[in-house]
Amino acid sequence: MLPDFSHPIYNSEAAAIAHLESIVWPDGPVCPHCNENRGRAYKLEGVRGSKSRAQPDGAPRLGLWKCAKCRKQFTVRMNTMYENAHVPLHKAFRAHAFFHEYGRHHVKSVARDIGVNYKTALRLADLMT
C-alpha cells in the first residue's frame, strides 16, 4: 500500500531534508569528513548554488552544514543511498515509496509521477533496489 503522498516529506524539499536528518542524525549532525558530532556543526543559511539561465541568482542550497572542526561543508545526503540521486530529496522519497511497493517494473509510471525522464527514473530504481 502506498503512503499518503500528501505528507510534506513527499512535496517539500525542506520537510524531506528535516525528515532524513532526524533519521540519520537522531542526536544532531555528524560531520562525515571528520566524524565530529559534539554540536560543532552549524547550518549555513542563504547559500546559493551556481547560476544558470533558469535561475540567474542560483538555487538555494537547503540542508547545508559546515563543520567547525574541519571547516568542510556537508549535507545529510552524504554517505546515504540518496547521495548520488541527482533529484530533489522529496522526489527521491516519492520514487523510493513507489519502487518499494510495486518494484522496479513501473519505471515509466514513476518518471511520470515525479516529473523526471525515463533514464533518471531508471537510475533511481537502480539506487533503491
Side-chain angles (χ1 to χ4, degrees), residues 90-126:
H90 68 282
K91 288 185 177 188
F93 279 170
R94 258 183 116 93
H96 190 165
F98 201 94
F99 287 133
H100 179 72
E101 184 64 30
Y102 295 114
R104 171 184 177 139
H105 311 294
H106 295 85
V107 175
K108 284 185 181 180
S109 299
V110 170
R112 205 172 23 254
D113 180 56
I114 66 173
V116 297
N117 64 30
Y118 178 80
K119 197 171 184 179
T120 301
L122 194 58
R123 285 187 185 142
L124 284 171
D126 290 341

Side-chain angles (χ1 to χ4, degrees), residues 55-68:
Q55 295 186 327
D57 293 331
R61 294 196 55 200
L62 300 174
L64 187 62
W65 291 82
K66 188 166 186 174
C67 179

Side-chain angles (χ1 to χ4, degrees), residues 5-23:
F5 283 138
S6 66
H7 194 279
I9 67 166
Y10 298 112
N11 299 304
S12 164
E13 188 66 9
I17 290 170
H19 179 70
L20 188 59
E21 285 176 351
S22 71
I23 293 170

